Amino acid sequence: MNSAPPARGLPGARYPDRSPGIGRRELLRYGTAGAAALLAAGPLTGCASPARAGEASALKVWDLFQGGDGMLMDEMIAAVSKGSDGFDVDRTILDWGPSYYTKLAMSAAGGRASDVAVLHLSRLAGYAPGGLLDPIDLDVLAEFGVGEKDFAPAVWKRAQHKGTVYAVPLDVHPFIVFYDKDVADKAGLLDSSGHLAPMGSPEAFLDAGKKLAEITGTSGVLFGHVTDTAQSWRQFAALYAQTGASFTLPDGGPPKIDTDAAVKVVTFMKQLFDGRTNPNNLDYNGAMAAFMDGRGGMIMAGEWELPTFRKSGIKHLGAAPFPQVFARPAVYADSHSFVLPHQDDPDPARRRQAHRYIAEIVKQSLTWASAGHIPAYLPVQARPEYAKLDPQSSYAAAGEIAVLDPPNWFAGAGGNFQNRMCQPLQSALLGNTSAEKAVRQMVREADTLLRQPNPVA
Amino acid sequence: MTTTAPAGAAAPPQPPSATPAAPRRSRSLTRGGGLFVLPFLVVFALFLVWPVVQGLWMSLTDASLSLRGTEFVGFANYTEAFGDPDVWSSLGNTVFFTVISCVPLVLVALAMALLVHSGLAGQWVWRLAYFAPYLLPVTVVTLIWTWLYQPDIGLGNQLLTSLGMEPVGWLSDESVAMWSVAALTVWWTVGFNFLLYLAALQSLPVTYDEAAALDGAGAWRRLWSVTLPQLRHTTVLVAMLQVLASLKVFDQIYILTKGGPNGSTRPILEYVYDVGFTGYRLGYASAVSYIFFAIVIVVSVLQLRFFRQEG
C-alpha cells in the first residue's frame, strides 16, 4: 500500500510545532506498516489457536447441543477419539433455534459446510430437496456396521427424501409427561407396579388433573406455552394424532386437516387448562419452576428436561409417554440426526471418515440416553444397560408411536410453521378465542405458508 | 443484511459547513484527510452501500437460501407484499410501538433532566440511576423483565394482587403485550435522551432565566417561556433519533415475546427476519424491507419538514 503522497508543495513553515522525530508522513508510513503487520498476523493467529483442529485430518462437526446434552456429546466424541484410529474432531456448537438452521443452510449454500452436522429430522424436507444436503452412502455406512435394519421404520422413513437417505438418526426425543410419584400415588393415579396408569379418555385425564390439584393444593397439570413458538403445537400434534386424523401439507395448498377432530382437541386442551385447577398462562420457565417447586403434580414437557428435573431434588420423579386420551396411542416427537451438509468439492477420504464417524457415534448412544433421549439405534435400545435406565426405559415405546411434523419445507423444529400454529393455540388456551376460531386461523396460516413459492423446490 | 439500511441511510443529514475552506486547505484535506477516512469509506461501501444495492437487486428476484438458481421476477415480490396481510399487521405494530414509546421517551427524559437540573442534592446518584439501565445489554434487560412480567410469580402481578387488583397478562394479553414492551423500552433507553437533555440544559445561558426571574416570572412561567423554547433544537434531535430507533425495534420483542401473543407484537423487522432467514425467502424479505425502507425515508423527510416549519 502506498503511503501519503509527498507534500512538496507545502512549506514546512506551516507546521511550526512539528516535532523533528516523527512527522505526519512518518506516522502514516509506520502506521500503515504496523497495520499491515497486524492484518498479516491476524489470520495466522486465527489458524494457530485450534492447532489440532486446523489440520486437514480434523473432522468438522456442527451441532446444537448445549448444557447437559453438550457435555454428553463431548463424552461421546471423546469415546470415538480414543485409540489409533480415533477421530480428530473439530466441534462447533451453535445456539439451537431458527438461527442454527439459517447458518446451516448458508454454509451448505456456500458449498464449504462442515463434514457432519446435526439436523432435526422434521427439517429434512426443507434441506434435502434444495440440495443443501448430500446423500448418505449406505454402502459405506454398512461397511461400518450401521444400516436400515438398525432403526425403527417410522424414523428411517423420515430420513429419506424421494427414496434417498439423507440422514442417520441419533435419537427420538418425544414430548412426554413427568410426574411426582408421591403426588400421583396420593391421587390414586398409579398402577400396581408404581407407574402412571393409562388414562384412556379425555374425561379421565381432566379428572386426574383435578385430583392432582387437590393433593398439591395449587395446580394439577402444568404446561408452559405463553410466548413459546413450539410448545402448544407439540401438545396439539400429539393429541390430534391420537384421534386418528391426519394433517398433511400438500404443496400449493390447501392443507388437509380434519377440522372436527382439531376442534375436539383444542376444546379438550382448553378444558384441561381452564385457568383454575390447571394454570393456562404459564410460560416455559414458569411451568418448569412451578413443577420443581411442587406446585403441580404433572408437567407436559420434552424428555430432554430430565437432567434439569433430576437436579431439582424431586424425590420420586416419574416419566411416561404422553397419555393416550383419544382413540389410538401417539406422541409428538422429533429426532436429532446426522447429515452431510452440501460441499461443492468433497474429498472422498474425508467423506468416508464422515460416514465412519456417524456410525461410531450412534453406537455410543447409550451415553446419549442418560439425558433422557431414546436412542434411535436399536441395538443400543436392546442392551440390558438401557433397560436399567429409569425412567428412560419407561417411555422407550414412545419411539414407535412417534408423530413428527407434517413434512414440508417450512415445517419442523425452529421453523415458521410451528410458530404460526402456536399463536392461535396460545390464544385459545388463554381464553381469548374459541376452539373453532383457533382452528380456522391454523388452517388459514397453513394455507398462507403453502401458497408461498417454495424456495427450495 | 438489508434491514440495517434504513438506519444508516436515513440518519439526519449533516448541516452544510458554514464557511467554505480555502482552496489550498481543501486540497491538503483531499490528500492527507482522504487517506484517513479511506478505511471508513471502504467499510461503509462494503457493508452498507453494497448490501443496499444488492438487496434492491435481490428484491426483484426469487433468491432463496437453497442451492436452487435465482430468477428475475420483476415486481412480483412487491405485488405479493402489498397483498400480504402479515406485512400490514406487522407494519401497524411497528407504528403503534413507535407512537406509544416515543412520546414517553421524550417527555420522561425531559422531566428527568429538569428534575436533576433543578439542583437536587446528590446529583451523581440521579444521573447514574437514570442512565444505568441504558448500559445493560438487551438480553439482560429482557431477562429481568420476563420475570417481572411472569403471570404467576412476577413482581408486576404480585404488586397488583397485593393491592387487591386483578392480575394482568403482561405478555399473554393481546391488548396489553405491546404496552409491556414499550414500558420495558422506556425504562431501558430513556437514559440516553435524558443525557442529551441534561447536557443541553447545562449549556443554556442562565442570564435569560435570571432576567425573567427579576421581572417576576414564577418557576412554571420560566419553564414554559424561557427554558423549553431554548431546548427546542434538542427536542427536535431527540424526537428524530427516537422515532428512527423505535421504528427499528426488533431485539427486545424477539427475545421477549417472539412477536406473540398471536402476532400482536410482531414488528415489521421480525417479519422480514422470519420470512428471510427462517423461511429462506431472501428475495421476498428484501422486497418487504425495501417497502419499510421507503416508509422510513418518507417519515424522516416529513419530520424534518415539520420541524423546519416550526422553527
Side-chain angles (χ1 to χ4, degrees):
Chain A
M1 190 179 155
N2 212 342
S3 68
R8 278 204 192 99
L10 297 171
R14 280 179 66 93
Y15 301 100
D17 56 345
R18 194 173 149 186
S19 73
I22 296 180
R24 182 183 56 135
R25 268 180 284 160
E26 285 81 357
L27 184 71
L28 270 178
R29 196 177 301 138
Y30 294 138
T32 315
L38 275 176
L39 280 174
L44 289 180
T45 47
C47 287
S49 51
R52 226 166 81 92
E55 290 164 23
S57 60
L59 204 62
K60 286 200 174 61
V61 178
W62 273 25
D63 69 49
L64 37 69
F65 301 122
Q66 291 166 315
D69 277 357
M71 281 185 263
L72 287 180
M73 186 45 78
D74 271 341
E75 237 180 84
M76 289 157 70
I77 290 175
V80 299
S81 303
K82 276 188 257 166
S84 56
D85 61 345
F87 292 94
D88 189 2
V89 178
D90 174 8
R91 179 182 179 207
T92 304
I93 308 165
L94 295 152
D95 198 17
W96 131 250
S99 64
Y100 173 78
Y101 284 107
T102 307
K103 285 171 193 149
L104 185 62
M106 280 177 156
S107 75
R112 294 190 306 273
S114 61
D115 296 304
V116 178
V118 166
L119 179 101
H120 283 88
L121 270 192
S122 59
R123 292 297 297 239
L124 195 80
Y127 280 76
L132 296 172
L133 301 180
D134 290 337
I136 302 277
D137 189 328
L138 290 181
D139 295 334
V140 178
L141 200 66
E143 276 181 51
F144 302 114
V146 174
E148 180 177 351
K149 62 178 189 328
D150 298 318
F151 299 90
V155 181
W156 189 251
K157 196 172 153 236
R158 287 297 296 257
Q160 302 172 30
H161 169 67
K162 290 189 176 160
T164 308
V165 175
Y166 283 92
V168 179
L170 168 68
D171 65 25
V172 177
H173 50 273
F175 200 63
I176 62 170
V177 291
F178 289 99
Y179 57 96
D180 186 321
K181 279 187 177 171
D182 296 335
V183 176
D185 190 21
K186 281 182 201 151
L189 299 177
L190 299 187
D191 61 16
S192 54
S193 61
H195 290 105
L196 194 69
M199 303 279 179
S201 72
E203 293 73 26
F205 199 2
L206 293 171
D207 196 41
K210 288 200 180 75
K211 281 182 187 155
L212 288 169
E214 274 169 33
I215 307 295
T216 61
T218 42
S219 322
V221 183
L222 298 165
F223 176 58
H225 69 101
V226 175
T227 72
D228 196 279
T229 53
Q231 286 278 96
S232 330
W233 165 252
R234 288 171 182 150
Q235 189 187 70
F236 170 84
L239 292 166
Y240 179 78
Q242 288 187 0
T243 66
S246 66
F247 190 171
T248 48
L249 300 168
D251 279 328
K256 287 190 179 140
I257 177 170
D258 181 340
T259 46
D260 290 341
V263 169
K264 190 163 86 174
V265 167
V266 180
T267 308
F268 169 65
M269 284 164 69
K270 278 172 76 99
Q271 285 172 330
L272 186 58
F273 298 99
D274 58 1
R276 288 186 300 277
T277 52
N278 296 286
N280 62 342
N281 59 358
L282 296 178
D283 66 10
Y284 193 90
N285 292 322
M288 295 282 290
F291 183 65
M292 290 187 276
D293 244 15
R295 283 182 284 138
M298 184 187 284
I299 184 169
M300 297 171 157
E303 50 69 18
W304 54 89
E305 296 298 355
L306 178 64
T308 312
F309 289 141
R310 278 224 172 110
K311 266 184 255 161
S312 72
I314 298 168
K315 266 193 198 144
H316 297 107
L317 180 70
F322 201 81
Q324 182 195 341
V325 298
F326 292 114
R328 59 162 82 170
V331 295
Y332 178 78
D334 209 326
S335 163
H336 294 124
S337 63
F338 288 111
V339 293
L340 307 172
H342 173 72
Q343 292 181 345
D344 282 341
D345 192 17
D347 172 38
R350 282 181 85 87
R351 265 286 143 92
R352 211 181 140 73
Q353 283 298 307
H355 282 83
R356 185 167 76 91
Y357 174 79
I358 294 172
E360 294 301 321
I361 282 278
V362 297
K363 288 177 193 167
Q364 296 290 330
S365 50
L366 186 66
T367 310
W368 195 237
S370 66
H373 310 298
I374 303 170
Y377 185 63
L378 294 176
V380 168
Q381 260 196 55
R383 280 163 67 173
E385 294 98 314
Y386 181 71
K388 277 188 205 138
L389 287 179
D390 180 61
Q392 285 91 322
S393 53
S394 55
Y395 56 79
E400 291 157 32
I401 46 170
V403 180
L404 277 72
D405 272 13
N408 207 312
W409 65 270
F410 49 74
N416 276 336
F417 174 72
Q418 291 193 350
N419 187 3
R420 286 188 174 225
M421 293 298 107
C422 281
Q423 301 293 344
L425 283 168
Q426 173 181 313
S427 234
L429 282 190
L430 288 164
N432 296 336
T433 189
S434 68
E436 289 80 7
K437 267 194 184 163
V439 170
R440 270 207 299 279
Q441 192 184 334
M442 287 167 75
V443 176
R444 208 167 49 237
E445 297 276 3
D447 195 42
T448 306
L449 286 168
L450 285 170
R451 280 164 191 270
Q452 290 180 9
N454 183 341
V456 296
Chain B
M1 185 177 156
T2 51
T3 53
T4 53
Q14 297 296 315
S17 63
T19 48
R24 275 171 76 101
R25 175 120 190 161
S26 92
R27 204 170 60 231
S28 83
L29 267 179
T30 40
R31 283 186 182 169
L35 205 72
F36 273 113
V37 296
L38 190 68
F40 169 76
L41 279 181
V42 169
V43 171
F44 175 73
L46 211 63
F47 294 107
L48 200 84
V49 179
W50 174 242
V52 166
V53 176
Q54 170 92 355
L56 187 61
W57 164 249
M58 248 159 67
S59 72
L60 302 173
T61 69
D62 65 349
S64 90
L65 257 184
S66 74
L67 283 173
R68 191 195 64 164
T70 300
E71 275 176 39
F72 183 78
V73 294
F75 288 98
N77 287 328
Y78 288 92
T79 320
E80 186 185 340
F82 282 117
D84 182 347
D86 288 328
V87 168
W88 296 110
S89 73
S90 54
L91 203 55
N93 291 337
T94 303
V95 172
F96 180 58
F97 173 80
T98 305
V99 172
I100 65 170
S101 65
C102 283
V103 175
L105 273 167
V106 174
L107 295 182
V108 172
L110 176 63
M112 292 190 333
L114 286 170
L115 280 176
V116 170
H117 190 62
S118 69
L120 280 170
Q123 284 275 321
W124 70 270
V125 180
W126 298 106
R127 282 186 219 176
L128 178 71
Y130 286 157
F131 190 67
Y134 187 74
L135 300 173
L136 296 177
V138 62
T139 38
V140 174
V141 172
T142 316
L143 205 65
I144 295 171
W145 284 76
T146 308
W147 286 108
L148 291 179
Y149 286 146
Q150 272 279 335
D152 206 20
I153 49 174
L155 187 67
N157 277 349
Q158 295 276 346
L159 275 178
L160 288 182
T161 45
S162 70
L163 294 171
M165 292 155 85
E166 283 289 301
V168 171
W170 300 103
L171 299 178
S172 56
D173 189 331
E174 287 172 38
S175 57
V176 177
M178 195 57 110
W179 293 92
S180 305
V181 174
L184 172 157
T185 311
V186 170
W187 179 81
W188 177 33
T189 60
V190 74
F192 184 71
N193 295 349
F194 155 76
L195 218 59
L196 288 179
Y197 267 125
L198 191 64
L201 276 171
Q202 284 171 343
S203 65
L204 291 185
V206 288
T207 45
Y208 298 122
D209 201 54
E210 281 171 2
L214 282 175
D215 287 343
W220 282 109
R221 170 51 73 187
R222 292 206 306 277
L223 175 68
W224 278 113
S225 304
V226 180
T227 312
L228 289 186
Q230 290 186 90
L231 284 176
R232 200 175 46 80
H233 286 297
T234 311
T235 305
V236 169
L237 176 74
V238 167
M240 286 216 51
L241 290 178
Q242 196 51 60
V243 167
L244 292 176
S246 286
L247 284 172
K248 286 193 302 172
V249 67
F250 174 77
D251 323 14
Q252 63 265 48
I253 292 182
Y254 187 71
I255 307 174
L256 195 68
T257 65
K258 306 268 191 321
N262 216 0
S264 62
T265 61
R266 180 172 59 186
I268 183 88
L269 288 187
E270 191 190 327
Y271 187 59
V272 169
Y273 176 84
D274 283 347
V275 172
F277 288 103
T278 314
Y280 315 147
R281 296 187 63 205
L282 298 178
Y284 184 61
S286 301
V288 177
S289 61
Y290 262 87
I291 291 172
F292 181 56
F293 184 26
I295 291 171
V296 171
I297 288 184
V298 169
V299 168
S300 314
V301 169
L302 285 180
Q303 228 182 346
L304 211 63
R305 284 252 171 100
F306 174 73
F307 284 126
R308 274 213 190 120
Q309 272 174 3
E310 290 274 294

